[in-house]
Amino acid sequence: QVQLVESGGGLVQPGGSLRLSCVASGGILRSNNMGWYRRAPGKERELVARFTSYGSTDYADSVKGRFTILKDNAAKAVYLQMNSLKPEDTAVYYCRWPGYGVDYWGKGTLVTVSS
């Protein structure tokens, strides 16, 4: 059974940085298409950043130039480096990692950007 565990969330001041980690264990996972999503209070879950099927990256317009998605397939890990954080980045961040015929999701890590 695949498990995804996110970490690295917390409280940060506007302009600060955080690095989220998602580590997978168990099962067989694809080497691409994994990504980060978030759900802000009162809003729908949205894509933040992902690797495409071709290994390129795709970002939400709101985070372009500030966030970077990274991966380490050997370690079964995907990261989200978040810089220049804004209050509107406050959300629960989820890792999504596709297997074969199934999508796996972590339980999320809370990021709060506030002074």
Side-chain angles (χ1 to χ4, degrees):
Q1 183 69 21
V2 172
Q3 283 192 315
L4 302 179
V5 179
E6 301 105 331
S7 62
L11 174 64
V12 63
Q13 292 188 342
S17 297
L18 283 175
R19 183 179 176 98
L20 305 184
S21 298
C22 171
V23 179
S25 61
I28 301 173
L29 298 170
R30 292 187 178 273
S31 60
N32 279 316
N33 297 108
M34 71 288 282
W36 288 93
Y37 293 71
R38 68 185 180 188
R39 186 193 301 272
K43 295 188 177 181
E44 297 291 319
R45 187 168 59 191
E46 63 175 358
L47 170 70
V48 178
R50 69 183 181 101
F51 285 97
T52 69
S53 299
Y54 305 101
S56 59
T57 53
D58 188 23
Y59 294 92
D61 288 342
S62 59
V63 307
K64 282 180 181 176
R66 300 188 297 122
F67 290 11
T68 303
I69 188 169
L70 305 159
K71 64 174 177 171
D72 184 341
N73 284 107
K76 286 189 175 181
V78 60
Y79 309 96
L80 186 67
Q81 178 66 43
M82 305 187 295
N83 299 328
S84 303
L85 283 160
K86 304 176 180 180
E88 51 263 42
D89 295 318
T90 294
V92 178
Y93 285 71
Y94 299 90
C95 173
R96 169 185 171 267
W97 205 317
Y100 292 86
V102 62
D103 276 345
Y104 298 101
W105 291 86
K107 294 184 177 181
T109 184
L110 176 63
V111 172
T112 303
V113 185
S114 175
S115 55

